Amino acid sequence: MKKLKSLLFLIATALVVLSCKKAVTEAGASASSPDEKATARNILAVKPKKVLFIGIDGCVWKALTATNAPNLKNLMDQSYTSTNALAQVPTWSSNGWSALFTGVGVAKHKASDNSFSGADFVNYPSFFRQIKTSLPALRTASIVTWSSINNFIVATPDVTVKQNSANDNATEVRIIQEITSSNTDVSFCHFDNVDHAGHASNYRLTSQMYIDSVKAVDARVGRILNAVKTRTTYNNEDWLIVVATDHGGDLSHGEVVTWSKMHLLS
């Protein structure tokens, strides 16, 4: 759970800087002395922060080293990476994504299975709620293939754009559109095909089906990162890229087994 809190801390830090920039803009407008105005200009020179959170459902991290996944490997090499952040039992997607979005465990968010029966996102809302409350002018987006994330975890009033995609292709197209055509500040996208392949192949690294699904999502990540880097304003922005999965698996998931609990945080 410390790893999940670290993730939310990184996102929160980026948002604090955005908030500070707004405050400095207002302070700079009312500054009277040359020194005060110079200080305001120096702080405003800091690049604006952007956050992109990419969720890959059911991705066993060792698959990234067992196959050709250059885009994810490059992110791992250039970032803080944890390969021992264990998903909390029971390792259902409901529990994993709820923890990543809220920063609390199943004892509090109560999304213990994929029915979300009894889940408490009133007292433990997603991080999008904090953004909406603290920085309501920011543009935010949640674009997912597994619709339960948007249907249960992310409240509609908390985000600017919310889309449940029919498949991973549609999710990729929409998140790239959001990155290239809109000045989005904080965005989340979720891909599901790796988990589908995991269920069909027992999440085994010896399964070509599972390995191919990891290669495919790595290519999607590459195209998304390219969309970020080709923004006309990219050189004047500071991007935080987060990649995480909700669980691994062994035959299925939800069990107390090592493969079910492998977790990537980059």
Side-chain angles (χ1 to χ4, degrees):
M1 191 54 62
K2 288 182 179 179
K3 298 294 190 305
L4 303 183
K5 291 181 178 178
S6 297
L7 165 62
L8 295 183
F9 174 76
L10 289 171
I11 295 174
T13 300
L15 297 176
V16 166
V17 173
L18 284 169
S19 180
C20 289
K21 182 174 180 180
K22 178 182 177 183
V24 170
T25 302
E26 296 170 348
S30 61
S32 56
S33 72
D35 288 343
E36 289 175 341
K37 291 180 179 180
T39 299
R41 284 195 298 271
N42 289 336
I43 296 176
L44 285 172
V46 175
K47 293 181 179 181
K49 306 290 184 179
K50 302 286 185 181
V51 179
L52 171 61
F53 183 0
I54 302 173
I56 304 174
D57 212 296
C59 186
V60 176
W61 76 267
K62 284 189 176 181
L64 304 182
T65 57
T67 188
N68 182 27
N71 299 295
L72 288 166
K73 285 180 181 177
N74 187 53
L75 281 177
M76 292 174 72
D77 291 342
Q78 299 182 35
S79 66
Y80 167 80
T81 300
S82 172
T83 55
N84 63 355
L86 301 182
Q88 189 177 20
V89 176
T91 56
W92 294 104
S93 289
S94 57
N95 186 7
W97 292 121
S98 295
L100 284 162
F101 271 83
T102 65
V104 301
V106 68
K108 291 184 177 180
H109 64 63
K110 300 186 187 306
S112 58
D113 62 54
N114 289 353
S115 72
F116 285 86
S117 177
D120 183 4
F121 299 118
V122 174
N123 293 306
Y124 304 100
S126 80
F127 61 80
F128 281 117
R129 174 69 54 79
Q130 182 61 42
I131 298 171
K132 182 68 174 180
T133 301
S134 302
L135 301 165
L138 294 191
R139 181 178 176 87
T140 56
S142 181
I143 300 163
V144 305
T145 305
W146 192 49
S147 60
S148 292
I149 294 173
N150 278 346
N151 292 346
F152 295 104
I153 304 173
V154 179
T156 298
D158 294 343
V159 288
T160 312
V161 174
K162 188 175 180 181
Q163 174 177 303
N164 294 339
S165 304
N167 50 54
D168 281 1
N169 288 333
T171 293
E172 179 189 339
V173 169
R174 187 64 182 89
I175 191 64
I176 289 177
Q177 180 184 38
E178 190 66 24
I179 291 167
T180 57
S181 303
S182 304
N183 193 29
T184 304
D185 297 292
V186 182
S187 53
F188 170 76
C189 64
H190 164 274
F191 295 108
D192 213 20
N193 281 356
V194 173
D195 189 48
H196 290 316
H199 281 286
S201 62
N202 300 337
Y203 297 86
R204 295 306 186 191
L205 305 186
T206 54
S207 164
Q208 192 61 48
M209 177 189 296
Y210 189 69
I211 292 299
D212 285 347
S213 73
V214 173
K215 288 181 179 179
V217 80
D218 179 78
R220 294 187 192 280
V221 170
R223 291 188 289 267
I224 292 169
L225 295 179
N226 184 63
V228 169
K229 294 175 182 178
T230 55
R231 284 169 55 89
T232 57
T233 52
Y234 175 72
N235 289 333
N236 297 316
E237 297 170 336
D238 186 4
W239 281 79
L240 170 65
I241 309 294
V242 178
V243 179
T245 186
D246 55 337
H247 60 76
D250 185 12
L251 301 181
S252 181
H253 56 77
E255 304 85 358
V256 188
V257 295
T258 301
W259 283 94
S260 287
K261 295 160 71 177
M262 284 186 177
H263 196 99
L264 166 70
L265 177 61
S266 178

mmCIF file of all heavy atoms in Angstrom, residues 62-78:
data_model
loop_
_atom_site.group_PDB
_atom_site.id
_atom_site.type_symbol
_atom_site.label_atom_id
_atom_site.label_comp_id
_atom_site.label_asym_id
_atom_site.label_seq_id
_atom_site.Cartn_x
_atom_site.Cartn_y
_atom_site.Cartn_z
ATOM 1 N N LYS A 62 7.129 -9.450 -15.248
ATOM 2 C CA LYS A 62 8.205 -10.226 -15.858
ATOM 3 C C LYS A 62 7.995 -10.430 -17.358
ATOM 4 O O LYS A 62 8.945 -10.721 -18.084
ATOM 5 C CB LYS A 62 8.349 -11.576 -15.152
ATOM 6 C CG LYS A 62 9.047 -11.481 -13.806
ATOM 7 C CD LYS A 62 9.357 -12.859 -13.237
ATOM 8 C CE LYS A 62 10.154 -12.756 -11.940
ATOM 9 N NZ LYS A 62 10.478 -14.084 -11.377
ATOM 10 N N ALA A 63 6.754 -10.249 -17.809
ATOM 11 C CA ALA A 63 6.491 -10.362 -19.239
ATOM 12 C C ALA A 63 7.214 -9.265 -20.013
ATOM 13 O O ALA A 63 7.552 -9.437 -21.190
ATOM 14 C CB ALA A 63 4.993 -10.293 -19.507
ATOM 15 N N LEU A 64 7.472 -8.140 -19.359
ATOM 16 C CA LEU A 64 8.147 -7.022 -20.026
ATOM 17 C C LEU A 64 9.613 -7.336 -20.288
ATOM 18 O O LEU A 64 10.205 -6.836 -21.241
ATOM 19 C CB LEU A 64 8.028 -5.750 -19.189
ATOM 20 C CG LEU A 64 6.614 -5.308 -18.829
ATOM 21 C CD1 LEU A 64 6.652 -4.003 -18.046
ATOM 22 C CD2 LEU A 64 5.755 -5.160 -20.082
ATOM 23 N N THR A 65 10.196 -8.159 -19.429
ATOM 24 C CA THR A 65 11.595 -8.546 -19.625
ATOM 25 C C THR A 65 11.714 -9.833 -20.417
ATOM 26 O O THR A 65 12.789 -10.150 -20.927
ATOM 27 C CB THR A 65 12.299 -8.707 -18.263
ATOM 28 O OG1 THR A 65 11.601 -9.677 -17.472
ATOM 29 C CG2 THR A 65 12.317 -7.393 -17.499
ATOM 30 N N ALA A 66 10.596 -10.559 -20.536
ATOM 31 C CA ALA A 66 10.622 -11.831 -21.258
ATOM 32 C C ALA A 66 10.361 -11.650 -22.748
ATOM 33 O O ALA A 66 10.530 -12.578 -23.531
ATOM 34 C CB ALA A 66 9.586 -12.790 -20.669
ATOM 35 N N THR A 67 9.940 -10.435 -23.133
ATOM 36 C CA THR A 67 9.604 -10.206 -24.528
ATOM 37 C C THR A 67 10.149 -8.857 -24.980
ATOM 38 O O THR A 67 10.769 -8.117 -24.208
ATOM 39 C CB THR A 67 8.087 -10.254 -24.738
ATOM 40 O OG1 THR A 67 7.796 -10.213 -26.137
ATOM 41 C CG2 THR A 67 7.400 -9.092 -24.050
ATOM 42 N N ASN A 68 9.882 -8.506 -26.221
ATOM 43 C CA ASN A 68 10.312 -7.231 -26.773
ATOM 44 C C ASN A 68 9.252 -6.181 -26.472
ATOM 45 O O ASN A 68 8.259 -6.069 -27.181
ATOM 46 C CB ASN A 68 10.526 -7.359 -28.286
ATOM 47 C CG ASN A 68 11.031 -6.066 -28.906
ATOM 48 O OD1 ASN A 68 11.682 -5.265 -28.232
ATOM 49 N ND2 ASN A 68 10.735 -5.865 -30.171
ATOM 50 N N ALA A 69 9.464 -5.423 -25.409
ATOM 51 C CA ALA A 69 8.547 -4.351 -25.017
ATOM 52 C C ALA A 69 9.361 -3.085 -24.816
ATOM 53 O O ALA A 69 9.524 -2.598 -23.695
ATOM 54 C CB ALA A 69 7.802 -4.735 -23.743
ATOM 55 N N PRO A 70 9.909 -2.515 -25.896
ATOM 56 C CA PRO A 70 10.877 -1.417 -25.776
ATOM 57 C C PRO A 70 10.344 -0.153 -25.129
ATOM 58 O O PRO A 70 11.088 0.542 -24.423
ATOM 59 C CB PRO A 70 11.301 -1.165 -27.230
ATOM 60 C CG PRO A 70 10.157 -1.685 -28.056
ATOM 61 C CD PRO A 70 9.658 -2.876 -27.300
ATOM 62 N N ASN A 71 9.090 0.155 -25.370
ATOM 63 C CA ASN A 71 8.550 1.409 -24.836
ATOM 64 C C ASN A 71 8.374 1.358 -23.321
ATOM 65 O O ASN A 71 8.762 2.284 -22.604
ATOM 66 C CB ASN A 71 7.214 1.723 -25.518
ATOM 67 C CG ASN A 71 7.381 1.902 -27.010
ATOM 68 O OD1 ASN A 71 8.034 2.825 -27.475
ATOM 69 N ND2 ASN A 71 6.797 0.992 -27.785
ATOM 70 N N LEU A 72 7.833 0.248 -22.832
ATOM 71 C CA LEU A 72 7.674 0.094 -21.389
ATOM 72 C C LEU A 72 9.025 -0.099 -20.702
ATOM 73 O O LEU A 72 9.259 0.430 -19.616
ATOM 74 C CB LEU A 72 6.744 -1.077 -21.088
ATOM 75 C CG LEU A 72 5.266 -0.815 -21.420
ATOM 76 C CD1 LEU A 72 4.471 -2.104 -21.424
ATOM 77 C CD2 LEU A 72 4.658 0.189 -20.444
ATOM 78 N N LYS A 73 9.931 -0.832 -21.351
ATOM 79 C CA LYS A 73 11.265 -1.013 -20.782
ATOM 80 C C LYS A 73 11.987 0.326 -20.670
ATOM 81 O O LYS A 73 12.676 0.602 -19.673
ATOM 82 C CB LYS A 73 12.084 -1.980 -21.646
ATOM 83 C CG LYS A 73 11.689 -3.441 -21.501
ATOM 84 C CD LYS A 73 12.547 -4.319 -22.405
ATOM 85 C CE LYS A 73 12.165 -5.783 -22.301
ATOM 86 N NZ LYS A 73 12.947 -6.620 -23.240
ATOM 87 N N ASN A 74 11.841 1.157 -21.678
ATOM 88 C CA ASN A 74 12.483 2.469 -21.650
ATOM 89 C C ASN A 74 11.942 3.319 -20.516
ATOM 90 O O ASN A 74 12.705 4.021 -19.825
ATOM 91 C CB ASN A 74 12.278 3.174 -22.989
ATOM 92 C CG ASN A 74 13.056 4.470 -23.086
ATOM 93 O OD1 ASN A 74 14.262 4.503 -22.855
ATOM 94 N ND2 ASN A 74 12.368 5.548 -23.425
ATOM 95 N N LEU A 75 10.636 3.266 -20.301
ATOM 96 C CA LEU A 75 10.040 3.991 -19.174
ATOM 97 C C LEU A 75 10.594 3.472 -17.848
ATOM 98 O O LEU A 75 10.913 4.251 -16.944
ATOM 99 C CB LEU A 75 8.519 3.843 -19.191
ATOM 100 C CG LEU A 75 7.731 4.723 -20.154
ATOM 101 C CD1 LEU A 75 6.254 4.381 -20.076
ATOM 102 C CD2 LEU A 75 7.945 6.202 -19.870
ATOM 103 N N MET A 76 10.707 2.160 -17.726
ATOM 104 C CA MET A 76 11.220 1.561 -16.498
ATOM 105 C C MET A 76 12.666 1.999 -16.236
ATOM 106 O O MET A 76 13.044 2.294 -15.105
ATOM 107 C CB MET A 76 11.138 0.040 -16.573
ATOM 108 C CG MET A 76 9.717 -0.498 -16.577
ATOM 109 S SD MET A 76 9.644 -2.291 -16.837
ATOM 110 C CE MET A 76 10.256 -2.878 -15.256
ATOM 111 N N ASP A 77 13.456 2.060 -17.303
ATOM 112 C CA ASP A 77 14.864 2.422 -17.151
ATOM 113 C C ASP A 77 15.054 3.884 -16.749
ATOM 114 O O ASP A 77 16.072 4.235 -16.152
ATOM 115 C CB ASP A 77 15.623 2.159 -18.460
ATOM 116 C CG ASP A 77 15.770 0.675 -18.775
ATOM 117 O OD1 ASP A 77 15.607 -0.135 -17.840
ATOM 118 O OD2 ASP A 77 16.018 0.340 -19.945
ATOM 119 N N GLN A 78 14.079 4.723 -17.089
ATOM 120 C CA GLN A 78 14.227 6.149 -16.857
ATOM 121 C C GLN A 78 13.369 6.668 -15.709
ATOM 122 O O GLN A 78 13.206 7.876 -15.553
ATOM 123 C CB GLN A 78 13.879 6.927 -18.130
ATOM 124 C CG GLN A 78 14.767 6.604 -19.313
ATOM 125 C CD GLN A 78 14.417 7.424 -20.534
ATOM 126 O OE1 GLN A 78 14.032 8.589 -20.434
ATOM 127 N NE2 GLN A 78 14.558 6.823 -21.708
#
